[in-house]
Amino acid sequence: MIEKIPKKMVAICMGQSNAANHGDIKMVAPNAVKVLKGLELVRASDPLPGASGDGGSVWTRLGSKLIARDVCDEVVFIPIAVDGAAVADWSPNGKYFQVFLDACVRAHHAELEVTHVFWHQGEKDTALRSGYGYYLGHLTKIVSSIGFELPFAQIIVCVASYRLGELNEDVRLAQKKMAEKKGVICGPDTDNIGRQWRYDDLHFNEEGQQKFSDLLFECVD
């Protein structure tokens, strides 16, 4: 009998509120889904430590699916997303770049090899009217930094710009362009999760959270 090789996902989740704890409904994931809280692994229960907000998260839902459908035997999330963060905030010299570096250090000390990095951000840059070159320039620096710090991690860049009924096509195009880079995968286009699935025309309601997690599931190897 051939023994099954256990599959473990360790994922840093960065960006802004829809990658943090700003969903409408909280959830507790199975025991096999953990969160790195400081240097300690704890069961994933919304709101997830490390990210902003006190509501629900897409990551508890994604982790639950990965375990239930036998894609992974163990899932560890390292949530660091921050409400209202702009792309420049995560860029080197941005105010949250050190948060990313600290997450890498914590993973190393906890003897965790990061396998995935999820990027979901863009709504703030819709409000800021960020242009294609500006957004792509910062995102290129972010992805390059991720590749340098975590050379074996798969980077999933979501397409996201929807804010109060408005899209930013420049942001969307930049995110899609970034996904053409080696080692980067184009994640879900969450702009297609419209206002009927957002409780305040920005953050996901329960059905929106479910739709987002379903789309993420399809992107995971």
Side-chain angles (χ1 to χ4, degrees):
M1 180 177 177
I2 300 175
E3 284 191 32
K4 177 186 174 185
I5 299 174
K7 183 169 182 183
K8 181 176 182 176
M9 172 192 278
V10 178
I12 291 178
C13 310
M14 57 194 298
Q16 60 178 116
S17 55
N18 278 318
N21 300 304
H22 295 265
D24 198 22
I25 303 297
K26 298 177 184 178
M27 177 180 174
V28 178
N31 285 325
V33 183
K34 308 289 188 183
V35 174
L36 186 63
K37 181 181 181 181
L39 297 177
E40 179 186 7
L41 288 176
V42 299
R43 184 176 179 179
S45 177
D46 293 333
L48 300 182
S52 67
D54 58 5
S57 167
V58 68
W59 310 115
T60 46
R61 289 158 175 79
L62 174 60
S64 298
K65 284 185 175 67
L66 291 168
I67 297 299
R69 300 182 191 180
D70 204 29
V71 175
C72 294
D73 300 287
E74 184 179 0
V75 179
V76 178
F77 291 117
I78 308 173
I80 58 173
V82 180
D83 179 36
V87 68
D89 293 331
W90 289 106
S91 191
N93 299 320
K95 61 182 177 180
Y96 297 130
F97 185 67
Q98 188 61 47
V99 175
F100 164 70
L101 293 180
D102 289 346
C104 296
V105 171
R106 287 192 291 119
H108 175 73
H109 286 308
E111 299 183 341
L112 296 170
E113 181 176 344
V114 177
T115 61
H116 295 75
V117 176
F118 292 98
W119 171 263
H120 187 279
Q121 187 281 335
E123 302 94 331
K124 179 66 173 183
D125 286 272
T126 293
L128 294 172
R129 303 287 191 267
S130 297
Y132 173 80
Y134 174 87
Y135 192 95
L136 182 61
H138 281 295
L139 188 55
T140 298
K141 292 176 184 176
I142 293 165
V143 168
S144 295
S145 298
I146 294 170
F148 179 78
E149 298 292 335
L150 306 167
F152 302 110
Q154 186 178 84
I155 305 168
I156 298 175
V157 174
C158 299
V159 178
S161 73
Y162 183 92
R163 180 183 180 277
L164 306 179
E166 184 179 3
L167 302 178
N168 184 321
E169 289 299 333
D170 284 340
V171 166
R172 289 173 50 78
L173 286 171
Q175 291 160 344
K176 291 177 182 178
K177 182 66 176 178
M178 196 70 252
E180 295 176 6
K181 183 180 174 69
K182 183 179 179 181
V184 182
I185 289 177
C186 189
D189 185 341
T190 60
D191 287 348
N192 292 324
I193 305 176
R195 58 166 40 111
Q196 66 268 46
W197 296 297
R198 300 177 188 244
Y199 64 87
D200 57 358
D201 206 18
L202 177 59
H203 302 108
F204 298 124
N205 60 24
E206 184 173 16
E207 190 174 357
Q209 290 171 282
Q210 195 66 36
K211 287 179 178 293
F212 187 10
S213 66
D214 286 341
L215 292 170
L216 284 168
F217 180 85
E218 295 171 7
C219 296
V220 174
D221 286 343

